Amino acid sequence: MKRLLRQIDSEISALGGKRSRSRASIIEVFFRSGRHLTVDELTSEVRARNRDIGAATVYRTLKLLSRLGYAKELDFGEGARRYESSLTAHHDHLVCTGCGNVSEFEEPRIERLQDEVAKKHGFVPTMHRLAIYGTCPRCLSPQPRETAE
Amino acid sequence: MKRLLRQIDSEISALGGKRSRSRASIIEVFFRSGRHLTVDELTSEVRARNRDIGAATVYRTLKLLSRLGYAKELDFGEGARRYESSLTAHHDHLVCTGCGNVSEFEEPRIERLQDEVAKKHGFVPTMHRLAIYGTCPRCLSPQPRETAE
DNA sequence: TATGATATTGAATGTCAATGTCATGATATA
DNA sequence: TATATCATGACATTGACATTCAATATCATA
Ligand SMILES: [Mn+2]
Ligand SMILES: [Mn+2]
Ligand SMILES: [Zn+2]
Ligand SMILES: [Zn+2]
């Protein structure tokens, strides 16, 4: 984590950038969360630690991480995009339309078939997006609700 | 085509709607095109025939077709969504990042593997989105340019 | 440490696709 | 044709995201 932060900082300064407290805070919270966050969600979590960090800076920092290859932009068609760490291996997503939770899977056979399909169409693939939408296990067997009474 | 228009009209009036000249025009141009159109693109094509059809009506008509199951909303992350006829069988898409062209493919083995993945995760799938991005054959072997001189 | 060049900040504003509002026009039914 | 109600097109509004800008933070150099 500290190591990651230092590495990112050095890449930034190699590109003529300077380090900043706000950005460090945003980056740390982002990687610590390990989730698939919207900018709004991340902004809230960051502000819980440092009240006066602006949303624009969160947007800028995620764009920066994405340019440097440390984050990936995701779009599940929710109206706001999400970001995830790109430090993990490639994977695709299961999106629960009930609770909004996003989980991950790897399926090499699907990856292979995609290449095959592309080749068959004379197409040179550079990336793909695959998301499966549905209901997650937790939403399928609803817990006995904690009633407030 | 005429048949399709009549069927849609009857569904609309069954739901308490009325027929309209603008809407008929939009629907006809949409299904005739057979492509994956943004609202802007469709609006242009419609306006070439009928100068004074408003963009709002095109938005409304596509939403309506989508509610009735005659059109599908697509989102390739371009900033504007596209619509396609849903009269064809289910398929996924190849999107050329060079020329923007969208082509289609069916791959039952991928469909099957998706169900398998979902099941493995205790997930009940309702839909999926798969798009492969890359360079299409036409963009790979660029034609000798027609120079103007 | 003090200086100055320059990158970064947060707030405000701009942009753009999509949706909402509303007065007017079109359509169905008797 | 009268009446009710739906649909239209112009325009305003929304919401995510990008950009602008004056103030501030960072950093190499003296
Ligand atoms: Mn993920
Ligand atoms: Mn298609
Ligand atoms: Zn769920
Ligand atoms: Zn192409």
Side-chain angles (χ1 to χ4, degrees), chain B residues 19-51:
Chain B
R19 93 181 49 209
S20 104
R21 183 165 297 282
S22 297
R23 192 160 56 197
S25 186
I26 294 165
I27 294 176
E28 195 177 334
V29 172
F30 173 65
F31 282 108
R32 269 190 147 73
S33 107
R35 286 176 295 138
H36 306 79
L37 298 171
T38 63
V39 177
D40 253 24
E41 290 168 350
L42 181 55
T43 301
S44 300
E45 303 204 1
V46 165
R47 282 205 168 122
R49 291 158 127 243
N50 187 337
R51 186 53 36 187

PDB file of all heavy atoms in Angstrom, chain B residues 19-51:
ATOM      1  N   ARG B  19     -52.801   7.025 -32.594  1.00  0.00           N
ATOM      2  CA  ARG B  19     -51.760   6.939 -33.626  1.00  0.00           C
ATOM      3  C   ARG B  19     -51.307   8.334 -34.010  1.00  0.00           C
ATOM      4  O   ARG B  19     -52.015   9.313 -33.779  1.00  0.00           O
ATOM      5  CB  ARG B  19     -52.265   6.151 -34.821  1.00  0.00           C
ATOM      6  CG  ARG B  19     -52.883   6.963 -35.927  1.00  0.00           C
ATOM      7  CD  ARG B  19     -53.360   6.044 -37.019  1.00  0.00           C
ATOM      8  NE  ARG B  19     -54.149   4.947 -36.434  1.00  0.00           N
ATOM      9  CZ  ARG B  19     -54.244   3.731 -36.955  1.00  0.00           C
ATOM     10  NH1 ARG B  19     -53.569   3.442 -38.055  1.00  0.00           N
ATOM     11  NH2 ARG B  19     -54.999   2.806 -36.381  1.00  0.00           N
ATOM     12  N   SER B  20     -50.118   8.403 -34.556  1.00  0.00           N
ATOM     13  CA  SER B  20     -49.614   9.716 -34.960  1.00  0.00           C
ATOM     14  C   SER B  20     -48.704   9.586 -36.166  1.00  0.00           C
ATOM     15  O   SER B  20     -47.993   8.592 -36.328  1.00  0.00           O
ATOM     16  CB  SER B  20     -48.859  10.380 -33.807  1.00  0.00           C
ATOM     17  OG  SER B  20     -47.476  10.311 -34.004  1.00  0.00           O
ATOM     18  N   ARG B  21     -48.765  10.583 -36.991  1.00  0.00           N
ATOM     19  CA  ARG B  21     -47.986  10.630 -38.220  1.00  0.00           C
ATOM     20  C   ARG B  21     -46.480  10.637 -37.932  1.00  0.00           C
ATOM     21  O   ARG B  21     -45.720   9.870 -38.517  1.00  0.00           O
ATOM     22  CB  ARG B  21     -48.395  11.902 -38.979  1.00  0.00           C
ATOM     23  CG  ARG B  21     -47.763  12.138 -40.314  1.00  0.00           C
ATOM     24  CD  ARG B  21     -48.553  13.213 -41.071  1.00  0.00           C
ATOM     25  NE  ARG B  21     -49.912  12.760 -41.326  1.00  0.00           N
ATOM     26  CZ  ARG B  21     -50.237  11.896 -42.307  1.00  0.00           C
ATOM     27  NH1 ARG B  21     -49.293  11.419 -43.108  1.00  0.00           N
ATOM     28  NH2 ARG B  21     -51.492  11.522 -42.485  1.00  0.00           N
ATOM     29  N   SER B  22     -46.075  11.493 -36.988  1.00  0.00           N
ATOM     30  CA  SER B  22     -44.642  11.581 -36.648  1.00  0.00           C
ATOM     31  C   SER B  22     -44.113  10.234 -36.192  1.00  0.00           C
ATOM     32  O   SER B  22     -43.071   9.761 -36.648  1.00  0.00           O
ATOM     33  CB  SER B  22     -44.423  12.597 -35.532  1.00  0.00           C
ATOM     34  OG  SER B  22     -44.799  13.884 -35.936  1.00  0.00           O
ATOM     35  N   ARG B  23     -44.837   9.629 -35.278  1.00  0.00           N
ATOM     36  CA  ARG B  23     -44.370   8.375 -34.716  1.00  0.00           C
ATOM     37  C   ARG B  23     -44.253   7.307 -35.789  1.00  0.00           C
ATOM     38  O   ARG B  23     -43.268   6.569 -35.843  1.00  0.00           O
ATOM     39  CB  ARG B  23     -45.311   7.926 -33.602  1.00  0.00           C
ATOM     40  CG  ARG B  23     -44.744   6.809 -32.783  1.00  0.00           C
ATOM     41  CD  ARG B  23     -45.426   6.715 -31.442  1.00  0.00           C
ATOM     42  NE  ARG B  23     -46.875   6.575 -31.577  1.00  0.00           N
ATOM     43  CZ  ARG B  23     -47.730   6.796 -30.587  1.00  0.00           C
ATOM     44  NH1 ARG B  23     -47.279   7.178 -29.402  1.00  0.00           N
ATOM     45  NH2 ARG B  23     -49.004   6.644 -30.774  1.00  0.00           N
ATOM     46  N   ALA B  24     -45.266   7.245 -36.674  1.00  0.00           N
ATOM     47  CA  ALA B  24     -45.223   6.246 -37.743  1.00  0.00           C
ATOM     48  C   ALA B  24     -43.986   6.451 -38.597  1.00  0.00           C
ATOM     49  O   ALA B  24     -43.297   5.488 -38.962  1.00  0.00           O
ATOM     50  CB  ALA B  24     -46.483   6.351 -38.587  1.00  0.00           C
ATOM     51  N   SER B  25     -43.690   7.691 -38.873  1.00  0.00           N
ATOM     52  CA  SER B  25     -42.537   8.003 -39.706  1.00  0.00           C
ATOM     53  C   SER B  25     -41.246   7.550 -39.024  1.00  0.00           C
ATOM     54  O   SER B  25     -40.384   6.921 -39.636  1.00  0.00           O
ATOM     55  CB  SER B  25     -42.517   9.511 -39.968  1.00  0.00           C
ATOM     56  OG  SER B  25     -41.505   9.844 -40.879  1.00  0.00           O
ATOM     57  N   ILE B  26     -41.130   7.854 -37.748  1.00  0.00           N
ATOM     58  CA  ILE B  26     -39.929   7.478 -36.991  1.00  0.00           C
ATOM     59  C   ILE B  26     -39.769   5.962 -36.970  1.00  0.00           C
ATOM     60  O   ILE B  26     -38.686   5.424 -37.227  1.00  0.00           O
ATOM     61  CB  ILE B  26     -40.007   8.028 -35.554  1.00  0.00           C
ATOM     62  CG1 ILE B  26     -39.954   9.553 -35.578  1.00  0.00           C
ATOM     63  CG2 ILE B  26     -38.878   7.463 -34.701  1.00  0.00           C
ATOM     64  CD1 ILE B  26     -40.386  10.202 -34.279  1.00  0.00           C
ATOM     65  N   ILE B  27     -40.856   5.271 -36.677  1.00  0.00           N
ATOM     66  CA  ILE B  27     -40.802   3.811 -36.589  1.00  0.00           C
ATOM     67  C   ILE B  27     -40.403   3.196 -37.921  1.00  0.00           C
ATOM     68  O   ILE B  27     -39.571   2.287 -37.978  1.00  0.00           O
ATOM     69  CB  ILE B  27     -42.156   3.255 -36.113  1.00  0.00           C
ATOM     70  CG1 ILE B  27     -42.434   3.687 -34.673  1.00  0.00           C
ATOM     71  CG2 ILE B  27     -42.190   1.736 -36.227  1.00  0.00           C
ATOM     72  CD1 ILE B  27     -43.786   3.276 -34.139  1.00  0.00           C
ATOM     73  N   GLU B  28     -40.960   3.746 -38.980  1.00  0.00           N
ATOM     74  CA  GLU B  28     -40.654   3.187 -40.289  1.00  0.00           C
ATOM     75  C   GLU B  28     -39.189   3.367 -40.656  1.00  0.00           C
ATOM     76  O   GLU B  28     -38.511   2.420 -41.071  1.00  0.00           O
ATOM     77  CB  GLU B  28     -41.550   3.846 -41.349  1.00  0.00           C
ATOM     78  CG  GLU B  28     -41.547   3.088 -42.655  1.00  0.00           C
ATOM     79  CD  GLU B  28     -42.493   3.700 -43.669  1.00  0.00           C
ATOM     80  OE1 GLU B  28     -43.468   4.358 -43.238  1.00  0.00           O
ATOM     81  OE2 GLU B  28     -42.237   3.540 -44.881  1.00  0.00           O
ATOM     82  N   VAL B  29     -38.677   4.561 -40.448  1.00  0.00           N
ATOM     83  CA  VAL B  29     -37.268   4.818 -40.758  1.00  0.00           C
ATOM     84  C   VAL B  29     -36.366   3.946 -39.881  1.00  0.00           C
ATOM     85  O   VAL B  29     -35.364   3.394 -40.353  1.00  0.00           O
ATOM     86  CB  VAL B  29     -36.919   6.306 -40.565  1.00  0.00           C
ATOM     87  CG1 VAL B  29     -35.422   6.536 -40.701  1.00  0.00           C
ATOM     88  CG2 VAL B  29     -37.675   7.151 -41.582  1.00  0.00           C
ATOM     89  N   PHE B  30     -36.755   3.790 -38.628  1.00  0.00           N
ATOM     90  CA  PHE B  30     -35.939   2.990 -37.713  1.00  0.00           C
ATOM     91  C   PHE B  30     -35.820   1.551 -38.196  1.00  0.00           C
ATOM     92  O   PHE B  30     -34.716   1.015 -38.335  1.00  0.00           O
ATOM     93  CB  PHE B  30     -36.542   3.033 -36.308  1.00  0.00           C
ATOM     94  CG  PHE B  30     -35.868   2.107 -35.333  1.00  0.00           C
ATOM     95  CD1 PHE B  30     -34.536   2.305 -34.973  1.00  0.00           C
ATOM     96  CD2 PHE B  30     -36.565   1.044 -34.777  1.00  0.00           C
ATOM     97  CE1 PHE B  30     -33.909   1.448 -34.071  1.00  0.00           C
ATOM     98  CE2 PHE B  30     -35.946   0.190 -33.879  1.00  0.00           C
ATOM     99  CZ  PHE B  30     -34.621   0.391 -33.526  1.00  0.00           C
ATOM    100  N   PHE B  31     -36.939   0.917 -38.484  1.00  0.00           N
ATOM    101  CA  PHE B  31     -36.879  -0.499 -38.869  1.00  0.00           C
ATOM    102  C   PHE B  31     -36.297  -0.683 -40.264  1.00  0.00           C
ATOM    103  O   PHE B  31     -35.646  -1.684 -40.536  1.00  0.00           O
ATOM    104  CB  PHE B  31     -38.256  -1.143 -38.762  1.00  0.00           C
ATOM    105  CG  PHE B  31     -38.641  -1.471 -37.359  1.00  0.00           C
ATOM    106  CD1 PHE B  31     -39.613  -0.742 -36.703  1.00  0.00           C
ATOM    107  CD2 PHE B  31     -37.999  -2.500 -36.673  1.00  0.00           C
ATOM    108  CE1 PHE B  31     -39.959  -1.046 -35.384  1.00  0.00           C
ATOM    109  CE2 PHE B  31     -38.335  -2.800 -35.362  1.00  0.00           C
ATOM    110  CZ  PHE B  31     -39.317  -2.068 -34.729  1.00  0.00           C
ATOM    111  N   ARG B  32     -36.529   0.301 -41.156  1.00  0.00           N
ATOM    112  CA  ARG B  32     -35.939   0.208 -42.485  1.00  0.00           C
ATOM    113  C   ARG B  32     -34.429   0.234 -42.426  1.00  0.00           C
ATOM    114  O   ARG B  32     -33.758  -0.448 -43.192  1.00  0.00           O
ATOM    115  CB  ARG B  32     -36.422   1.382 -43.344  1.00  0.00           C
ATOM    116  CG  ARG B  32     -37.665   1.109 -44.136  1.00  0.00           C
ATOM    117  CD  ARG B  32     -37.909   2.234 -45.137  1.00  0.00           C
ATOM    118  NE  ARG B  32     -38.536   1.728 -46.357  1.00  0.00           N
ATOM    119  CZ  ARG B  32     -39.803   1.332 -46.432  1.00  0.00           C
ATOM    120  NH1 ARG B  32     -40.583   1.394 -45.359  1.00  0.00           N
ATOM    121  NH2 ARG B  32     -40.295   0.866 -47.567  1.00  0.00           N
ATOM    122  N   SER B  33     -33.884   1.055 -41.537  1.00  0.00           N
ATOM    123  CA  SER B  33     -32.423   1.207 -41.485  1.00  0.00           C
ATOM    124  C   SER B  33     -31.750  -0.115 -41.109  1.00  0.00           C
ATOM    125  O   SER B  33     -30.717  -0.467 -41.670  1.00  0.00           O
ATOM    126  CB  SER B  33     -32.029   2.286 -40.484  1.00  0.00           C
ATOM    127  OG  SER B  33     -31.468   1.718 -39.318  1.00  0.00           O
ATOM    128  N   GLY B  34     -32.320  -0.824 -40.154  1.00  0.00           N
ATOM    129  CA  GLY B  34     -31.736  -2.100 -39.748  1.00  0.00           C
ATOM    130  C   GLY B  34     -30.406  -1.958 -39.053  1.00  0.00           C
ATOM    131  O   GLY B  34     -29.725  -2.946 -38.796  1.00  0.00           O
ATOM    132  N   ARG B  35     -30.001  -0.734 -38.723  1.00  0.00           N
ATOM    133  CA  ARG B  35     -28.697  -0.549 -38.079  1.00  0.00           C
ATOM    134  C   ARG B  35     -28.815  -0.252 -36.591  1.00  0.00           C
ATOM    135  O   ARG B  35     -29.889  -0.309 -36.017  1.00  0.00           O
ATOM    136  CB  ARG B  35     -27.943   0.583 -38.786  1.00  0.00           C
ATOM    137  CG  ARG B  35     -27.398   0.147 -40.158  1.00  0.00           C
ATOM    138  CD  ARG B  35     -26.756   1.296 -40.886  1.00  0.00           C
ATOM    139  NE  ARG B  35     -27.757   2.315 -41.212  1.00  0.00           N
ATOM    140  CZ  ARG B  35     -27.563   3.636 -41.100  1.00  0.00           C
ATOM    141  NH1 ARG B  35     -26.412   4.104 -40.668  1.00  0.00           N
ATOM    142  NH2 ARG B  35     -28.524   4.480 -41.428  1.00  0.00           N
ATOM    143  N   HIS B  36     -27.671   0.053 -36.008  1.00  0.00           N
ATOM    144  CA  HIS B  36     -27.598   0.367 -34.581  1.00  0.00           C
ATOM    145  C   HIS B  36     -27.424   1.871 -34.465  1.00  0.00           C
ATOM    146  O   HIS B  36     -26.321   2.388 -34.578  1.00  0.00           O
ATOM    147  CB  HIS B  36     -26.415  -0.350 -33.943  1.00  0.00           C
ATOM    148  CG  HIS B  36     -26.416  -1.825 -34.184  1.00  0.00           C
ATOM    149  ND1 HIS B  36     -26.000  -2.379 -35.360  1.00  0.00           N
ATOM    150  CD2 HIS B  36     -26.806  -2.852 -33.407  1.00  0.00           C
ATOM    151  CE1 HIS B  36     -26.121  -3.692 -35.300  1.00  0.00           C
ATOM    152  NE2 HIS B  36     -26.610  -4.015 -34.122  1.00  0.00           N
ATOM    153  N   LEU B  37     -28.527   2.564 -34.264  1.00  0.00           N
ATOM    154  CA  LEU B  37     -28.537   4.016 -34.405  1.00  0.00           C
ATOM    155  C   LEU B  37     -28.586   4.741 -33.078  1.00  0.00           C
ATOM    156  O   LEU B  37     -29.268   4.311 -32.152  1.00  0.00           O
ATOM    157  CB  LEU B  37     -29.757   4.438 -35.229  1.00  0.00           C
ATOM    158  CG  LEU B  37     -29.839   3.933 -36.674  1.00  0.00           C
ATOM    159  CD1 LEU B  37     -31.203   4.271 -37.262  1.00  0.00           C
ATOM    160  CD2 LEU B  37     -28.724   4.552 -37.500  1.00  0.00           C
ATOM    161  N   THR B  38     -27.886   5.870 -33.011  1.00  0.00           N
ATOM    162  CA  THR B  38     -28.098   6.776 -31.897  1.00  0.00           C
ATOM    163  C   THR B  38     -29.358   7.580 -32.188  1.00  0.00           C
ATOM    164  O   THR B  38     -29.826   7.626 -33.330  1.00  0.00           O
ATOM    165  CB  THR B  38     -26.924   7.766 -31.740  1.00  0.00           C
ATOM    166  OG1 THR B  38     -26.847   8.582 -32.906  1.00  0.00           O
ATOM    167  CG2 THR B  38     -25.607   7.025 -31.554  1.00  0.00           C
ATOM    168  N   VAL B  39     -29.879   8.229 -31.158  1.00  0.00           N
ATOM    169  CA  VAL B  39     -31.066   9.052 -31.352  1.00  0.00           C
ATOM    170  C   VAL B  39     -30.770  10.173 -32.343  1.00  0.00           C
ATOM    171  O   VAL B  39     -31.588  10.481 -33.212  1.00  0.00           O
ATOM    172  CB  VAL B  39     -31.547   9.627 -30.012  1.00  0.00           C
ATOM    173  CG1 VAL B  39     -32.740  10.538 -30.225  1.00  0.00           C
ATOM    174  CG2 VAL B  39     -31.908   8.500 -29.059  1.00  0.00           C
ATOM    175  N   ASP B  40     -29.588  10.734 -32.224  1.00  0.00           N
ATOM    176  CA  ASP B  40     -29.185  11.795 -33.151  1.00  0.00           C
ATOM    177  C   ASP B  40     -29.192  11.324 -34.596  1.00  0.00           C
ATOM    178  O   ASP B  40     -29.713  12.011 -35.475  1.00  0.00           O
ATOM    179  CB  ASP B  40     -27.769  12.266 -32.806  1.00  0.00           C
ATOM    180  CG  ASP B  40     -27.792  13.636 -32.163  1.00  0.00           C
ATOM    181  OD1 ASP B  40     -28.837  14.002 -31.589  1.00  0.00           O
ATOM    182  OD2 ASP B  40     -26.761  14.324 -32.235  1.00  0.00           O
ATOM    183  N   GLU B  41     -28.607  10.167 -34.822  1.00  0.00           N
ATOM    184  CA  GLU B  41     -28.544   9.645 -36.177  1.00  0.00           C
ATOM    185  C   GLU B  41     -29.950   9.406 -36.723  1.00  0.00           C
ATOM    186  O   GLU B  41     -30.266   9.798 -37.844  1.00  0.00           O
ATOM    187  CB  GLU B  41     -27.743   8.339 -36.200  1.00  0.00           C
ATOM    188  CG  GLU B  41     -26.246   8.533 -35.960  1.00  0.00           C
ATOM    189  CD  GLU B  41     -25.509   7.235 -35.692  1.00  0.00           C
ATOM    190  OE1 GLU B  41     -26.180   6.182 -35.499  1.00  0.00           O
ATOM    191  OE2 GLU B  41     -24.270   7.259 -35.653  1.00  0.00           O
ATOM    192  N   LEU B  42     -30.782   8.778 -35.912  1.00  0.00           N
ATOM    193  CA  LEU B  42     -32.134   8.510 -36.376  1.00  0.00           C
ATOM    194  C   LEU B  42     -32.883   9.807 -36.635  1.00  0.00           C
ATOM    195  O   LEU B  42     -33.618   9.933 -37.625  1.00  0.00           O
ATOM    196  CB  LEU B  42     -32.884   7.642 -35.357  1.00  0.00           C
ATOM    197  CG  LEU B  42     -34.308   7.268 -35.753  1.00  0.00           C
ATOM    198  CD1 LEU B  42     -34.374   6.591 -37.116  1.00  0.00           C
ATOM    199  CD2 LEU B  42     -34.939   6.361 -34.696  1.00  0.00           C
ATOM    200  N   THR B  43     -32.687  10.781 -35.755  1.00  0.00           N
ATOM    201  CA  THR B  43     -33.359  12.067 -35.938  1.00  0.00           C
ATOM    202  C   THR B  43     -32.985  12.682 -37.286  1.00  0.00           C
ATOM    203  O   THR B  43     -33.855  13.173 -38.024  1.00  0.00           O
ATOM    204  CB  THR B  43     -32.989  13.032 -34.799  1.00  0.00           C
ATOM    205  OG1 THR B  43     -33.368  12.439 -33.550  1.00  0.00           O
ATOM    206  CG2 THR B  43     -33.709  14.356 -34.954  1.00  0.00           C
ATOM    207  N   SER B  44     -31.719  12.627 -37.640  1.00  0.00           N
ATOM    208  CA  SER B  44     -31.291  13.159 -38.938  1.00  0.00           C
ATOM    209  C   SER B  44     -32.006  12.455 -40.077  1.00  0.00           C
ATOM    210  O   SER B  44     -32.543  13.100 -40.982  1.00  0.00           O
ATOM    211  CB  SER B  44     -29.783  12.986 -39.123  1.00  0.00           C
ATOM    212  OG  SER B  44     -29.095  13.660 -38.111  1.00  0.00           O
ATOM    213  N   GLU B  45     -31.997  11.134 -40.018  1.00  0.00           N
ATOM    214  CA  GLU B  45     -32.605  10.380 -41.112  1.00  0.00           C
ATOM    215  C   GLU B  45     -34.096  10.656 -41.210  1.00  0.00           C
ATOM    216  O   GLU B  45     -34.651  10.732 -42.302  1.00  0.00           O
ATOM    217  CB  GLU B  45     -32.339   8.880 -40.927  1.00  0.00           C
ATOM    218  CG  GLU B  45     -30.836   8.574 -40.826  1.00  0.00           C
ATOM    219  CD  GLU B  45     -30.483   7.145 -41.208  1.00  0.00           C
ATOM    220  OE1 GLU B  45     -31.396   6.378 -41.581  1.00  0.00           O
ATOM    221  OE2 GLU B  45     -29.290   6.807 -41.130  1.00  0.00           O
ATOM    222  N   VAL B  46     -34.733  10.805 -40.066  1.00  0.00           N
ATOM    223  CA  VAL B  46     -36.168  11.080 -40.075  1.00  0.00           C
ATOM    224  C   VAL B  46     -36.429  12.474 -40.642  1.00  0.00           C
ATOM    225  O   VAL B  46     -37.345  12.677 -41.432  1.00  0.00           O
ATOM    226  CB  VAL B  46     -36.744  10.953 -38.654  1.00  0.00           C
ATOM    227  CG1 VAL B  46     -38.123  11.579 -38.569  1.00  0.00           C
ATOM    228  CG2 VAL B  46     -36.791   9.485 -38.241  1.00  0.00           C
ATOM    229  N   ARG B  47     -35.580  13.413 -40.265  1.00  0.00           N
ATOM    230  CA  ARG B  47     -35.774  14.800 -40.703  1.00  0.00           C
ATOM    231  C   ARG B  47     -35.535  14.984 -42.188  1.00  0.00           C
ATOM    232  O   ARG B  47     -36.031  15.947 -42.786  1.00  0.00           O
ATOM    233  CB  ARG B  47     -34.850  15.729 -39.915  1.00  0.00           C
ATOM    234  CG  ARG B  47     -35.360  16.006 -38.527  1.00  0.00           C
ATOM    235  CD  ARG B  47     -34.798  17.330 -38.030  1.00  0.00           C
ATOM    236  NE  ARG B  47     -35.485  17.764 -36.822  1.00  0.00           N
ATOM    237  CZ  ARG B  47     -34.874  18.013 -35.665  1.00  0.00           C
ATOM    238  NH1 ARG B  47     -33.566  17.882 -35.572  1.00  0.00           N
ATOM    239  NH2 ARG B  47     -35.577  18.416 -34.629  1.00  0.00           N
ATOM    240  N   ALA B  48     -34.768  14.060 -42.773  1.00  0.00           N
ATOM    241  CA  ALA B  48     -34.564  14.156 -44.221  1.00  0.00           C
ATOM    242  C   ALA B  48     -35.884  13.953 -44.955  1.00  0.00           C
ATOM    243  O   ALA B  48     -36.061  14.433 -46.076  1.00  0.00           O
ATOM    244  CB  ALA B  48     -33.540  13.119 -44.671  1.00  0.00           C
ATOM    245  N   ARG B  49     -36.818  13.275 -44.324  1.00  0.00           N
ATOM    246  CA  ARG B  49     -38.128  13.037 -44.933  1.00  0.00           C
ATOM    247  C   ARG B  49     -39.152  14.039 -44.427  1.00  0.00           C
ATOM    248  O   ARG B  49     -40.036  14.452 -45.157  1.00  0.00           O
ATOM    249  CB  ARG B  49     -38.653  11.649 -44.557  1.00  0.00           C
ATOM    250  CG  ARG B  49     -37.900  10.490 -45.156  1.00  0.00           C
ATOM    251  CD  ARG B  49     -38.152   9.260 -44.300  1.00  0.00           C
ATOM    252  NE  ARG B  49     -38.631   8.105 -45.069  1.00  0.00           N
ATOM    253  CZ  ARG B  49     -39.814   7.541 -44.909  1.00  0.00           C
ATOM    254  NH1 ARG B  49     -40.687   8.031 -44.045  1.00  0.00           N
ATOM    255  NH2 ARG B  49     -40.152   6.486 -45.612  1.00  0.00           N
ATOM    256  N   ASN B  50     -39.052  14.352 -43.157  1.00  0.00           N
ATOM    257  CA  ASN B  50     -40.051  15.225 -42.554  1.00  0.00           C
ATOM    258  C   ASN B  50     -39.349  16.236 -41.660  1.00  0.00           C
ATOM    259  O   ASN B  50     -39.060  15.963 -40.498  1.00  0.00           O
ATOM    260  CB  ASN B  50     -41.043  14.386 -41.742  1.00  0.00           C
ATOM    261  CG  ASN B  50     -42.200  15.204 -41.237  1.00  0.00           C
ATOM    262  OD1 ASN B  50     -42.086  16.436 -41.106  1.00  0.00           O
ATOM    263  ND2 ASN B  50     -43.302  14.554 -40.948  1.00  0.00           N
ATOM    264  N   ARG B  51     -39.082  17.388 -42.265  1.00  0.00           N
ATOM    265  CA  ARG B  51     -38.243  18.424 -41.670  1.00  0.00           C
ATOM    266  C   ARG B  51     -38.569  18.750 -40.215  1.00  0.00           C
ATOM    267  O   ARG B  51     -37.708  19.022 -39.409  1.00  0.00           O
ATOM    268  CB  ARG B  51     -38.358  19.684 -42.553  1.00  0.00           C
ATOM    269  CG  ARG B  51     -37.466  20.837 -42.194  1.00  0.00           C
ATOM    270  CD  ARG B  51     -35.998  20.475 -42.089  1.00  0.00           C
ATOM    271  NE  ARG B  51     -35.532  19.477 -43.053  1.00  0.00           N
ATOM    272  CZ  ARG B  51     -34.318  18.948 -43.030  1.00  0.00           C
ATOM    273  NH1 ARG B  51     -33.451  19.300 -42.089  1.00  0.00           N
ATOM    274  NH2 ARG B  51     -33.967  18.061 -43.929  1.00  0.00           N
TER     275      ARG B  51
END
